[in-house]
Amino acid sequence: MWRDADFIAKAKLYFGRAEDSYDADDIDQGYLWLLLGFEFMLRAPLARVSPVLLASHEGNSALSAAGVDIGSESPRSIATTLAARRLALIVDGFRIDQVQKDIAFLANIRNEELHSGSSPLRNIPAHKWLPKFLQIVDSLAKHLGEEVTDYLPEQVIEQARHLQNVEDSAVRAEVTKLIARHKQFAANLRDEEVHNRKKEYPRWVKTADCPACEVPGLLTFSTVQKSKERVEDDAIVYEERQITTGFDCSVCGLQLESAARMHAADLYQEIDETYTEDLYEKYADSGTHEYDGPDYDDE
């Protein structure tokens, strides 16, 4: 119950379930697995120093953590907030007040999801907590002598990195100035120049009105989560969650790159797409032209 290896194994198990449980219609299920795994990862460094650091002061929990048989009594562990305060003395960077607040914030999201009728994981945007989660897990992984990729699925890491700096006021100020500059440029264009610069996009291409000149511009999406493929009837089906990471306006020339800049320009979107591929078309001719061995008659 108290070994650091057990906490690490359980954290990795739950992080893996986060990837396996991805569903475009219930994305918060995967998020919940991340936060449950996070709880076990927080406790691993303390268990490595001494399991007694995790034991509640009530009853004989400390004796149990020290390896003493306490009979039928159920041992209890300390609260997450106390674990975080003790981690501040062990893990580099955890003394910072903001890290302590971030740990409490993540724990509160998990607790509210599990113990109330509300759904914070559905209602709180991922950019408000997922980058914090990645930063803390990364620090814990390094402290334990591993890399964050040994714990978290690549798609979770990619999504969190895309969402970094979304709340950065400096990024918003930079984007505000950029939009103002391109707005002034567009105001000086003649109608003929606007017409010549304007592009017509097919209906299937995703666009948004430019925040500088109000002309439709091209959106770029990046896939941050993808479900496992499954077979339904005669088709291969999978889901993807995509976020906007770029914008390009052909009229005023405004270009934005990164989810943080898209968010600052009020162009950020998250969409879930379901893709279907015909099973027979995908595999009908797969590799048949490469075979150069002997021919066999059907028996």
Side-chain angles (χ1 to χ4, degrees):
M1 172 177 176
W2 305 99
R3 294 173 60 245
D4 62 315
D6 293 336
F7 285 115
I8 291 171
K10 200 165 185 180
K12 290 182 177 180
L13 173 66
Y14 281 23
F15 291 153
R17 287 179 181 176
E19 183 174 33
D20 293 340
S21 66
Y22 171 71
D23 185 325
D25 295 326
D26 193 17
I27 191 69
D28 49 302
Q29 181 181 353
Y31 288 160
L32 180 57
W33 282 117
L34 290 179
L35 293 178
L36 290 173
F38 179 68
E39 175 69 23
F40 298 114
M41 194 167 184
L42 282 174
R43 295 172 185 272
L46 295 175
R48 181 167 292 185
V49 174
S50 173
V52 176
L53 292 176
L54 291 170
S56 170
H57 298 306
E58 301 175 8
N60 293 311
S61 297
L63 288 172
S64 174
V68 177
D69 184 1
I70 60 173
S72 59
E73 181 183 344
S74 297
R76 300 183 63 183
S77 60
I78 59 175
T80 302
T81 50
L82 179 54
R85 292 199 296 272
R86 291 181 175 178
L87 283 172
L89 303 175
I90 298 172
V91 181
D92 289 342
F94 272 45
R95 287 179 182 267
I96 302 172
D97 287 344
Q98 188 58 51
V99 175
Q100 296 291 309
K101 291 178 181 178
D102 290 345
I103 292 174
F105 176 59
L106 294 168
N108 287 336
I109 292 176
R110 181 204 63 219
N111 290 337
E112 185 178 347
E113 184 72 32
L114 290 174
H115 303 298
S116 76
S118 61
S119 297
L121 289 174
R122 186 176 294 274
N123 298 323
I124 298 176
H127 70 258
K128 289 187 176 294
W129 67 270
L130 197 57
K132 303 178 192 296
F133 169 83
L134 174 62
Q135 185 177 12
I136 295 171
V137 172
D138 187 33
S139 296
L140 291 170
K142 286 182 170 59
H143 178 81
L144 295 168
E146 297 187 89
E147 298 296 327
V148 69
T149 51
D150 296 323
Y151 287 85
L152 296 178
E154 183 59 38
Q155 60 180 354
V156 172
I157 296 172
E158 183 179 357
Q159 182 183 12
R161 287 175 176 165
H162 273 304
L163 297 177
Q164 285 176 337
N165 301 321
V166 162
E167 297 291 307
D168 193 332
S169 58
V171 173
R172 181 167 291 276
E174 171 197 334
V175 171
T176 299
K177 290 180 180 179
L178 185 64
I179 291 173
R181 187 163 67 246
H182 284 273
K183 186 175 183 178
Q184 182 60 45
F185 173 81
N188 293 326
L189 292 174
R190 297 190 301 271
D191 290 344
E192 181 182 357
E193 291 175 316
V194 172
H195 176 76
N196 291 337
R197 287 170 171 266
K198 190 175 181 180
K199 288 185 178 180
E200 297 294 335
Y201 298 101
R203 285 187 299 175
W204 54 268
V205 172
K206 294 180 174 63
T207 63
D209 288 344
C210 177
C213 67
E214 300 182 355
V215 173
L218 182 65
L219 291 174
T220 300
F221 286 80
S222 295
T223 298
V224 292
Q225 291 184 338
K226 180 180 179 180
S227 71
K228 292 184 177 180
E229 294 182 351
R230 61 186 183 277
V231 177
E232 293 184 1
D233 297 325
D234 295 328
I236 297 175
V237 181
Y238 62 93
E239 290 83 28
E240 287 186 359
R241 167 152 288 196
Q242 301 173 353
I243 63 174
T244 45
T245 54
F247 176 80
D248 186 4
C249 178
S250 62
V251 174
C252 70
L254 177 65
Q255 292 183 327
L256 300 171
E257 296 178 352
S258 83
R261 288 178 173 80
M262 295 295 288
H263 191 274
D266 296 324
L267 292 175
Y268 179 79
Q269 298 178 29
E270 292 186 6
I271 62 172
D272 296 320
E273 297 279 6
T274 300
Y275 294 92
T276 303
E277 297 181 48
D278 185 273
L279 185 63
Y280 298 106
E281 288 184 3
K282 182 171 183 177
Y283 295 108
D285 299 322
S286 177
T288 55
H289 62 285
E290 298 177 1
Y291 179 74
D292 59 359
D295 294 328
Y296 296 92
D297 294 330
D298 292 336
E299 296 182 356

